[in-house]
Amino acid sequence: MSHPSNTADAVFAALAPVVEAIAATFGRSCEVVLHDYRDQERSVVAVAGSVTGRQAGDAMSEIGLRVLAAGDDARTEVGYVTRAQDGRVLRCTTVPLRDGDGTLIGALCINIDVSAINRATGVLADLLGLAPQEKPVASTNFSGDLDQVVDSLIERAERAHAVPVASLGREERLRLVRELNDAGVFALRGAPGRVAQRLGISRTGLYNDLAELKKDAS
């Protein structure tokens, strides 16, 4: 029997045919993505379907960041709704994957494009004289490039604050750093350097912000 720490490769090898089978079962509106978090810059190790256009060798999305940051607390999320960059509505399921010793090693993600179903629902609602219940749907960056994912999160914050992040005052910047931390950005190797450059501050300044947030949370 292999040592638990050596079971990760076996987990991914076993799931590779499952990726293809799930996508084939649900058809062209379905995409299945297998992530190996041991290589964060290139976490996608297998893809079937093309809903988000990703391919093997791409990085994780914002969803993956949240799972990675959750670590031991990561749990399966079934059927949550998000919106791709091009506006399509996706229903997604994310299953964290663990090694034999319980360490988070990756995730299996199923993304189904439900845009056509939503349009059909709207037509039926019109025919029946029913007012469709529109709910705001958060967007997700599936670019496959970690720098673009981090930039997307920061640009979202810029829109929320209506000013460039480099112009934020101390308290506003702390709120932004907290939002990025909650989004899982700082679970990435090298994230502080990326974020500090984008915010126009030193890494020391960013570490001070993170220390203050940690102190406030204790």
Side-chain angles (χ1 to χ4, degrees), residues 190-198 203 206-207:
R194 282 180 169 133
V195 173
Q197 183 178 26
R198 189 67 171 76
R203 272 197 285 189
L206 181 59
Y207 284 128

Side-chain angles (χ1 to χ4, degrees), residues 1 6 10 16 56 59 70 82 104 107 114 125-126 131 136 144 147 149 152 192 195-196 215:
M1 181 179 294
N6 296 326
T82 189
L104 181 71
V114 296
D126 286 344
D147 286 323
V149 171
S152 176
V195 173
K215 181 179 65 177

Side-chain angles (χ1 to χ4, degrees), residues 29 75 94 97 103 113 143 150 165 192 197 217:
S29 294
R75 297 291 180 269
T94 300
L97 304 175
T103 301
D113 183 354
S143 71
V150 172
V165 290
Q197 183 178 26

Side-chain angles (χ1 to χ4, degrees), residues 179-212:
E179 290 167 7
L180 294 175
N181 189 52
D182 291 344
V185 169
F186 297 110
L188 294 171
R189 290 185 291 270
R194 282 180 169 133
V195 173
Q197 183 178 26
R198 189 67 171 76
L199 297 182
I201 61 176
S202 67
R203 272 197 285 189
T204 300
L206 181 59
Y207 284 128
N208 288 339
D209 288 349
L210 290 169
E212 184 161 336

Side-chain angles (χ1 to χ4, degrees), residues 3-215:
H3 188 274
S5 63
N6 296 326
T7 59
D9 289 337
V11 169
F12 293 116
L15 285 173
V18 175
V19 167
E20 295 286 346
I22 294 173
T25 298
F26 287 96
R28 62 184 179 180
S29 294
C30 178
E31 172 190 78
V32 184
V33 185
L34 183 61
H35 289 276
D36 182 347
Y37 290 163
R38 295 175 299 177
D39 186 352
Q40 298 172 353
E41 299 281 348
R42 299 169 55 87
S43 72
V44 177
V45 293
V47 182
S50 58
V51 170
T52 64
R54 282 175 297 169
Q55 56 189 348
D58 281 351
M60 67 188 74
S61 69
E62 298 170 38
I63 296 167
L65 290 181
R66 292 199 300 271
V67 176
L68 181 64
D72 291 344
D73 295 325
R75 297 291 180 269
T76 297
E77 297 181 57
V78 178
Y80 57 91
V81 177
T82 189
R83 193 181 295 276
Q85 296 100 305
D86 60 7
R88 287 175 301 143
V89 177
L90 312 181
R91 185 170 292 277
C92 308
T93 290
T94 300
V95 182
L97 304 175
R98 301 187 186 280
D99 205 339
D101 61 3
T103 301
L104 181 71
I105 57 172
L108 179 69
C109 301
I110 303 169
N111 306 312
I112 298 178
D113 183 354
V114 296
S115 300
I117 296 173
N118 279 359
R119 288 193 294 272
T121 300
V123 170
L124 291 173
D126 286 344
L127 290 172
L128 294 172
L130 302 175
Q133 299 298 312
E134 292 288 342
K135 294 182 179 180
V137 177
S139 62
T140 297
N141 189 311
F142 293 104
S143 71
D145 180 280
L146 281 182
D147 286 323
Q148 289 185 28
V149 171
V150 172
D151 273 352
S152 176
L153 289 165
I154 292 175
E155 286 165 6
R156 195 173 300 160
E158 284 182 323
R159 290 194 298 271
H161 292 279
V163 293
V165 290
S167 302
L168 294 176
R170 167 75 170 162
E171 291 304 316
E172 290 177 316
R173 192 180 77 228
L174 277 175
R175 284 199 297 272
L176 171 57
V177 172
R178 180 182 291 107
E179 290 167 7
L180 294 175
N181 189 52
D182 291 344
V185 169
F186 297 110
L188 294 171
R189 290 185 291 270
R194 282 180 169 133
V195 173
Q197 183 178 26
R198 189 67 171 76
L199 297 182
I201 61 176
S202 67
R203 272 197 285 189
T204 300
L206 181 59
Y207 284 128
N208 288 339
D209 288 349
L210 290 169
E212 184 161 336
L213 292 178
K214 187 175 180 180
K215 181 179 65 177

